[in-house]
Amino acid sequence: MDFKEKLITEIKKYPDLFNEIRVEIIASKWQSELEDGVEYIVDTEADQTLEKVEEEQLVDSIINNLKYYIEYERELGESEL
C-alpha cells in the first residue's frame, strides 16, 4: 500500500475528519459545487473524492484543516482567559 492509499484509509476511519478534508478539496478544486452546499458523508467508503486528487492536494487539504484547527484552538483559549 502506498502513502496516499494508507493516508486515505486512515482518514476514512473518521467521518468528521474525512468530511472536513473533502470540503477543503472541493472548495479549492470545484468551487461551483459549493453553491448548493456539500452534503455530509457518513459512509466514507462510498465517496471517492480523496482518491481523485493528487497526493500533493490531499496533503495541502490536511495542512489547511490543521491550520484552521490550530487557529480555532488559539481563539478559544484566548477567549477563556
Side-chain angles (χ1 to χ4, degrees):
M1 183 178 295
D2 70 355
F3 173 76
K4 182 179 176 184
E5 290 173 5
K6 186 171 182 172
L7 184 59
I8 291 170
T9 298
E10 289 300 312
I11 291 168
K12 285 188 171 192
K13 290 179 182 177
Y14 307 95
D16 289 339
L17 177 61
F18 168 81
N19 279 284
E20 290 294 331
I21 293 169
R22 180 175 168 268
V23 168
E24 181 69 31
I25 289 169
I26 291 170
S28 65
K29 191 166 177 105
W30 302 292
Q31 188 69 31
S32 62
E33 289 187 27
L34 290 178
E35 293 173 9
D36 296 328
V38 179
E39 74 177 70
Y40 185 89
I41 303 294
V42 176
D43 181 8
T44 59
E45 295 302 320
D47 185 89
Q48 298 296 307
T49 303
L50 305 186
E51 288 83 354
K52 291 178 183 178
V53 298
E54 296 294 324
E55 190 173 291
E56 184 176 333
Q57 186 178 9
L58 178 59
V59 171
D60 287 346
S61 297
I62 293 168
I63 291 170
N64 287 338
N65 272 281
L66 287 171
K67 287 178 183 177
Y68 172 78
Y69 178 76
I70 291 167
E71 184 62 30
Y72 173 80
E73 287 295 314
R74 281 187 186 142
E75 290 176 9
L76 186 65
E78 290 174 3
S79 68
E80 292 177 354
L81 295 176

